[in-house]
Amino acid sequence: VFSPRGIPASYRHQQGFGVNTYRWVNNAGETTLVKYHWIPKQGVKSLTASDAATIQAAELGSHTKDLYAAIEAGDLPEWELKVQLMDDHDHPELDFDPLDDTKVWPEEQFPLHPVGRMVLDRTPENFFLENEQIAFGTGVLVDGLDFSEDKMLVGRTFSYSDTQRHRVGANYLQLPVNSPKATTVATNQRDAPMSFAVDGGTNPHINYEPSTLGGVHEAARTAPVEQGPEYSGRLTRAKIERTNDYQQVGEHYLLIEAWERDDMVANFIDALGQCDRPIQERMIWHLLLAEDELGLKVGAGIGISPEDVRHLEPLATQNLTEPELARLSGLGKNGPRDVAGKVMTHCVPNKREIVAR
Ligand code: HEM
């Protein structure tokens, strides 16, 4: 968020990440964990915070205008859809929890596989109809796709459809923009405002099954009832254990472009400069645990050295590992992390779009 990756130069140059982990299920009921990525064919391009502010001071909706202009000029933006796959079982060998949304799956271990593409080839004819009423949500799945135990995915899945029933209406899935195109729908769901169709079947008056009078029928199952790994254990509300919250942050800092590092440091100095001293100290402590250079540079910008924060104890909610405790005892003097051979999708080349003033 603090680096230019959070400020794409345009929608056409924005990279997309699913963040949540889903499952793929095949006809035999075998499952694989999957993460989705959209890679722009146009390349990834970003703005510094001050260049973005220059644009915003003079223009409203610059990204939307850029997208319309490009499509209308026939310069159709295209993204490649890629997936990372992971065997669906416990992974004690990983130093992070693969279902923790704050972590990425390192690409040298989980390479990206191309599976499709998306081309934006026209602009909406009617914005309200085709855009405002769209209801995207994490809970709308096609056959072969299933949820994982990713905690945030579970939360989002309840939240989006509830919001959409409120925002658009109880029958939002019947709107053409939200309904499937190549299949018939048979939910048995009936009535409520703005209902304009009843599910197929032999008798439109019967909304339950089984019935000798006809009505819709549940589709035949295409996949086995039992699928995925077998678990034995207790379902808990426990926190994620293997957090490893600093390593990927430090690696990310080292793997992004030099100009992005400079802007990230400047953005942290700007934001933390406005905070109270105890918050500033704690944040420098966190940044130093992630990567020396990041903590030292931001600290220098707001007048806080490793000596000033060395006395801080880990937070009560933290359970630091041995390597993290070792970093803590050498705070500010750990040297750069070893990122040789590391590949992170979030660190693909990012070209700076410079704004004329
Ligand atoms: C990885 C984290 C998340 C991402 C990337 C994400 C992304 C998005 C995006 C892109 C939108 C659409 C905004 C728009 O149409 O202008 C959205 C809407 C929404 N998000 Fe999230 N979200 C995340 C987490 C969550 C969580 C944890 C919740 C709740 C538990 C949540 C609840 C919602 C709701 C209710 C909407 C509005 C849906 C609608 O009315 O169509 N989101 N989110």
Side-chain angles (χ1 to χ4, degrees):
V1 180
F2 278 86
S3 89
R5 301 231 166 202
I7 320 178
S10 81
Y11 289 137
R12 295 180 295 125
H13 297 97
Q14 182 169 359
Q15 197 181 353
F17 318 104
V19 180
N20 294 118
T21 298
Y22 279 92
R23 275 201 169 89
W24 274 357
V25 191
N26 68 12
N27 279 339
E30 294 154 355
T31 56
T32 306
L33 298 172
V34 58
K35 256 186 196 303
Y36 292 92
H37 299 262
W38 289 106
I39 313 289
K41 285 260 169 94
Q42 298 73 232
V44 178
K45 280 192 195 171
S46 297
L47 297 164
T48 61
S50 76
D51 277 353
T54 304
I55 294 176
Q56 274 201 308
E59 209 183 346
L60 196 64
S62 60
H63 278 4
T64 308
K65 285 182 194 163
D66 170 271
L67 195 57
Y68 270 73
I71 294 172
E72 277 159 14
D75 178 13
L76 304 180
E78 183 173 336
W79 283 260
E80 188 166 35
L81 177 61
K82 296 190 169 187
V83 293
Q84 282 181 295
L85 302 172
M86 191 186 284
D87 289 345
D88 192 4
H89 53 65
D90 282 350
H91 286 272
E93 80 286 2
L94 296 177
D95 56 18
F96 60 96
D97 185 322
L99 300 184
D100 177 348
D101 291 330
T102 66
K103 303 295 171 315
V104 296
W105 294 356
E107 274 182 49
E108 66 278 4
Q109 283 164 277
F110 306 98
L112 293 179
H113 304 283
V115 290
R117 68 182 194 130
M118 169 171 72
V119 182
L120 299 186
D121 62 356
R122 70 172 182 92
T123 53
E125 275 165 31
N126 179 292
F127 193 77
F128 185 80
L129 209 67
E130 298 175 67
N131 197 313
E132 294 278 315
Q133 296 194 110
I134 290 184
F136 288 117
T138 52
V140 183
L141 306 182
V142 294
D143 287 352
L145 189 58
D146 201 359
F147 306 108
S148 73
E149 287 76 30
D150 177 339
K151 290 175 177 218
M152 203 225 274
L153 178 61
V154 178
R156 291 181 75 189
T157 295
F158 282 107
S159 177
Y160 284 66
S161 39
D162 275 353
T163 304
Q164 287 154 355
R165 279 185 282 270
H166 176 74
R167 174 171 73 82
V168 190
N171 287 303
Y172 72 100
L173 287 173
Q174 290 186 13
L175 292 174
V177 72
N178 293 323
S179 59
K181 301 288 173 279
T183 185
T184 46
V185 174
T187 59
N188 269 354
Q189 191 177 311
R190 286 288 153 90
D191 306 334
M194 314 236 173
S195 174
F196 61 86
V198 270
D199 292 346
T202 50
N203 186 340
H205 305 293
I206 302 298
N207 69 342
Y208 52 86
E209 74 156 319
S211 169
T212 54
L213 304 176
V216 293
H217 293 286
E218 192 178 344
R221 278 203 156 266
T222 50
V225 180
E226 296 203 351
Q227 63 186 39
E230 203 177 308
Y231 297 106
S232 137
R234 165 173 260 183
L235 208 56
T236 68
R237 299 178 179 204
K239 285 176 59 172
I240 289 174
E241 269 175 40
R242 264 176 297 162
T243 53
N244 197 0
D245 280 327
Y246 299 103
Q247 185 183 330
Q248 288 193 356
V249 181
E251 290 169 357
H252 179 89
Y253 176 79
L254 295 174
L255 288 170
I256 59 178
E257 315 260 350
W259 71 273
E260 293 185 283
R261 278 195 287 275
D262 292 346
D263 203 50
M264 188 172 177
V265 167
N267 292 337
F268 269 127
I269 292 172
D270 185 41
L272 287 177
Q274 302 165 42
C275 296
D276 294 338
R277 175 86 187 186
I279 293 170
Q280 292 179 331
E281 288 184 358
R282 178 57 74 180
M283 284 309 298
I284 297 304
W285 183 89
H286 283 308
L287 297 180
L288 285 168
L289 275 177
E291 188 56 38
D292 288 0
E293 186 186 293
L294 177 61
L296 292 172
K297 284 191 171 173
V298 177
I302 57 173
I304 293 179
S305 70
E307 300 319 312
D308 295 330
V309 299
R310 197 177 298 286
H311 65 281
L312 291 178
E313 294 289 332
L315 296 169
T317 48
Q318 279 186 306
N319 198 0
L320 296 189
T321 58
E322 286 301 324
E324 285 169 335
L325 289 170
R327 279 191 76 83
L328 187 56
S329 62
L331 208 63
K333 298 192 192 100
N334 286 298
R337 289 180 187 270
D338 179 11
V339 289
K342 290 256 174 198
V343 192
M344 283 185 183
T345 324
H346 307 65
C347 302
V348 296
N350 187 1
K351 195 162 177 290
R352 180 175 170 195
E353 179 98 338
I354 298 173
V355 176
R357 311 230 168 179

